[in-house]
Amino acid sequence: MTALTGVRVLELAGLAPGPFGCMLLADLGADVVRVDRPGGSGLPPGPLDRNRRTLTLDLKNPADVASFIRLAERADVLVEGYRPGVAERLGIGPAHCHQVNPGLVYARMTGWGQDGPLAARAGHDIDYLAVAGALEPLGRAGQRPHAPINLLADFAGGGMLLAVGVLAALVERSRSGLGQVVDAAMVDGSALLTTFLHGMIAGGAWAGGRGANLLDGGAPFYDTYETSDGGFMAVGAIEPPFYRALLGGLGLGEQDLPAPYDPSGWAALRSLFAARFRTRTRDEWTAVFEGLDACVAPVLSPTEAPTHPHNRARSTFVDVSGLTQPAPAPRFGRTAAKTPEPPAATTVAEILAGWPLRSP
């Protein structure tokens, strides 16, 4: 028994954020059935596709639309990532589905949301970050904004927001017995991720400008440093005890150094720290800081991370049919997630047989 055992999810195949949100639900035990279009997406199966059953329907074919509605009648959750109005034109919009299943949670994953001036426009992660005010602060001082691949809008502000919305709607349904539409927009989620930043701005703790603040690489004790072998160490020694431990690991004393929390001395401190880190390899510095509470860690590549001792001890990464990938999270004391499995093909008949109609 897993946390979401018994929850039925009907997923209309999409790219990145929608599949990630459905992967999270599937990891937690939901029975996720993905409906592919004829010909598929053209992409090879990957980790986002795990823990699914898949089938193919042509939603421009009335017979396949009817089959889809029969599936929606039995589902708890439906996830779609079309532009606004497309599902309605296909005859599978919220009104069509709620007519046969009033308890359905109908989750819509888009970039700009279901309304607003940009709702019908195309976009990608970087565009949603830009309009949400989440891209402008990212980057080095004096350089242009730099997007952290597509982690923020697609996955944190998109797929994860979708999963949270679905779970909240399911909890509410347990009280009301009714489903509802969940409008998960990546621009909204990206803005939500900047909540702490807005608090810092209001409190005068964010001066503005890239690379000149406490958490954006402006502070020398919250930055990355290159080592002698071309690797990097991540330093996050914000609080005084951690800062003192950082200095100890680097073989520096506090005397005769600029005050750490005075921005006027940050350039000098950064230059000193950089020179010290360049004297040893990444592994040597890792060994130095292993026993120190200095908030210093080696910067690992995605292929190196699975072999880190901490990640290995916690099984943070798993092997699924020869493909290493992150394990399900979070962890549960009683209802642990199962080891992920590759997607498996199914049919409408098999799903209908296993998804009997719910009692009203």
Side-chain angles (χ1 to χ4, degrees):
M1 184 74 72
T2 54
L4 294 183
T5 293
V7 175
R8 307 166 180 176
V9 179
L10 190 58
E11 172 193 5
L12 281 161
L15 297 175
F20 180 66
C22 289
M23 184 202 79
L24 297 178
L25 299 175
D27 282 352
L28 299 182
D31 182 4
V32 180
V33 174
R34 188 184 69 210
V35 177
D36 292 325
R37 67 192 66 184
S41 66
L43 300 175
L48 293 185
D49 303 310
R50 69 194 190 194
N51 292 331
R52 309 282 214 290
R53 291 186 287 170
T54 67
L55 56 86
T56 299
L57 291 176
D58 180 0
L59 295 179
K60 295 182 180 179
N61 181 322
D64 282 1
V65 170
S67 293
F68 183 87
I69 292 296
R70 292 184 69 195
L71 294 171
E73 186 179 15
R74 292 159 168 77
D76 297 296
V77 179
L78 188 156
V79 175
E80 61 96 352
Y82 296 138
R83 292 198 200 188
V86 172
E88 284 81 355
R89 289 195 295 273
L90 290 172
I92 58 171
H96 302 95
C97 294
H98 284 147
Q99 185 174 3
V100 299
N101 183 359
L104 181 69
V105 173
Y106 196 108
R108 318 193 81 166
M109 181 77 263
T110 60
W112 303 111
Q114 295 300 309
D115 53 28
L118 297 177
R121 289 269 297 276
H124 279 297
D125 179 288
I126 195 169
D127 305 305
Y128 313 132
L129 290 181
V131 172
L135 179 60
E136 189 275 342
L138 303 179
R140 290 292 183 180
Q143 298 182 16
R144 64 184 186 274
H146 182 74
I149 54 179
N150 64 331
L151 295 177
L152 292 183
D154 275 357
F155 299 115
M160 196 165 289
L161 181 75
L162 173 80
V164 170
V166 165
L167 296 176
L170 287 173
V171 171
E172 193 282 332
R173 190 187 69 172
S174 70
R175 298 190 297 267
S176 69
L178 297 174
Q180 60 182 307
V181 173
V182 177
D183 178 0
M186 285 175 266
V187 68
D188 296 346
S190 299
L192 190 63
L193 294 174
T194 68
T195 303
F196 179 73
L197 176 57
H198 280 273
M200 294 185 72
I201 294 170
W206 190 270
R210 281 180 295 284
N213 303 279
L214 181 66
L215 301 175
D216 62 357
F221 45 80
Y222 200 89
D223 204 349
T224 58
Y225 291 92
E226 188 172 6
T227 56
S228 65
D229 59 346
F232 292 88
M233 298 296 291
V235 175
I238 298 176
E239 294 82 0
F242 306 141
Y243 181 75
R244 289 193 292 269
L246 168 66
L247 296 184
L250 292 174
L252 299 170
E254 290 190 66
Q255 64 278 9
D256 301 325
L257 292 180
Y261 305 109
D262 181 359
S264 67
W266 283 359
L269 280 175
R270 176 173 286 100
S271 179
L272 179 59
F273 292 170
R276 288 297 177 117
F277 274 111
R278 281 195 295 267
T279 63
R280 299 186 184 185
T281 67
R282 187 189 70 177
D283 288 347
E284 288 172 338
W285 282 118
T286 299
V288 167
F289 285 101
E290 208 162 37
L292 297 176
D293 228 2
C295 300
V296 177
V299 178
L300 305 179
S301 71
T303 55
E304 291 177 307
T307 65
H308 188 278
H310 185 80
N311 294 334
R312 293 182 67 175
R314 285 182 58 82
S315 298
T316 300
F317 293 83
V318 294
D319 183 280
V320 181
S321 297
L323 179 61
T324 300
Q325 54 195 265
R331 304 174 189 215
F332 295 83
R334 289 187 298 100
T335 56
K338 298 178 181 177
T339 301
E341 298 178 353
T346 188
T347 65
V348 171
E350 288 176 345
I351 301 302
L352 293 175
W355 283 7
L357 287 168
R358 303 284 198 189
S359 300

